[in-house]
Amino acid sequence: MTYEDHIPVNVITGFLGSGKTTLLQRLLDDPGMADTAVLINEFGEIGLDHHLLQRVDEQTVLLKSGCLCCTIRGDLSDAMRDLYGRRERGEIPRFRRLVIETTGLADPAPIIYTLMAEDVIRHHFRLGNVITTVDAVNGRAQLRRHGESLKQAAMADRLVITKTDLASERKTASLRAKLKALNPSAPLLEAATDPISAEALLTRDVYDPKSKSAEVARWIDAEAFAAPGGHAHDVNRHGDGISAFCLTFDEPLDWTAFGVWLTMLLQCHGQDVLRVKGLLNVLGADAPVAVHGVQHIVHPPVHLDAWPDADRRSRLVFIVQGLNPEDIEASLLAFNGLANSVAA
Amino acid sequence: MCGLCGVLSPREHWTDGGQAGEGPNGRSVAETRRRERANQVRLANKVLAHYGLTLADWQGSSFVLSNRTGASEIIGHFGALWPSAARMAKRPCDPLDAALIAGLESAP
């Protein structure tokens, strides 16, 4: 069984009261969500009618020497193992997708880490994507005041603005601008007006053979990072120290050098690398390789069949806190140059 | 244990998956991995020299990290290298360190 065949897991997160359960309820009505199991932290006031609904209590287990983002969520791991065991024993239908709704204060990183690191789970499940809801009325203030909210938005693969009917157009526009600057490559939907479907939000991801090329193309969408001139496009330096930028490299990158470099970078600065994703022109390879990670966690690289466009440069998108794009670029170039000197 | 580590349960690391398997050059997957591993050691040593450390392959399954006083540590997995290196060097192994970058740029 390849990684692509593992059961995809979608994480729906968002700050307290941002409409996660309402969004989930709408998604579960979609016929595309048949055969989906749901794990939920809190049963809200809105009833969810689903035959595979289970509650998990949030407990995190901090591993020895571990940092905060590298924790196994014990509750989540138990619930997922239990769910998978019941599926295999035929006690519940053979669900083909799992959706996890987090608490409003949850940091998504330990959930992602649990999927990647827990020995049983990582053989049966894989991360699909992270969907973050942001409330149009209170979203900006929450992003400003609460680190959890900021991380939830920065780590998202899809952003959904909710409650736009309760907010002024100016407020919604201001939130859109903030989210676009924070996470330029995540598609931004409005729950009140945009179609909320399983396809739009959940099923297209980088490990899905049908959609992986389009997903990667979206990551490196030049327009999202457009800035006149320059090699590294730093679209925004926020007051919170977070910046999103795209680095491009004209020369092919040596895979070994890249691996040594990124492993070292994330070991030292993983807590400040909220997202890294990109498309690499690997020396000696005909087709590109997509890489993506969250903090200290790097997902298995994805080999694409072909380049999404005529641009053959390597492009790496970062969302970081307090790190300088020029330093990151200079460092990767130095490591890559080292590969040439080693090979020589 | 951190996200990039796997000492207690050695397993494939994400860096193992970037090279295609058997290619037009006729190399087997095993051969590609052996070469990749040898490259990892050669390249990591260029960086580790900055910290007075050396890395060696150990039977194709682990690595041995050593310092100049002869202390050594078995590294079960490439992802576990940098935490151990920082511990042995008694300082962070920071790829953004300007002195390291300058040193790498002037490496022979």
Side-chain angles (χ1 to χ4, degrees), chain A residues 234-278:
Chain A
D234 187 356
V235 298
N236 196 12
R237 286 174 184 280
H238 304 254
D240 40 44
I242 290 184
S243 60
F245 53 88
C246 180
L247 300 177
T248 58
F249 299 90
D250 297 333
E251 298 299 319
L253 295 174
D254 178 273
W255 175 257
T256 311
F258 179 79
V260 170
W261 174 76
L262 187 60
T263 309
M264 192 177 179
L265 179 77
L266 297 184
Q267 165 57 34
C268 195
H269 295 287
Q271 302 223 38
D272 298 321
V273 179
L274 300 181
R275 278 308 289 263
V276 54
K277 48 191 176 182

Side-chain angles (χ1 to χ4, degrees), chain B residues 46-71:
Chain B
K46 291 276 182 183
V47 182
L48 289 165
H50 187 78
Y51 304 98
L53 302 172
T54 53
L55 186 72
D57 186 13
W58 191 66
Q59 300 190 343
S61 61
S62 302
F63 302 95
V64 179
L65 181 67
S66 310
N67 67 12
R68 285 174 183 150
T69 63

Side-chain angles (χ1 to χ4, degrees), chain B residues 20-59:
Chain B
E22 193 168 2
N25 54 17
R27 282 186 203 127
S28 66
V29 173
E31 192 182 341
T32 302
R33 288 200 172 153
R34 264 198 308 277
R35 290 171 66 96
E36 172 64 12
R37 195 174 172 84
N39 275 340
Q40 271 181 337
V41 170
R42 270 199 298 271
L43 221 144
N45 272 325
K46 291 276 182 183
V47 182
L48 289 165
H50 187 78
Y51 304 98
L53 302 172
T54 53
L55 186 72
D57 186 13
W58 191 66
Q59 300 190 343

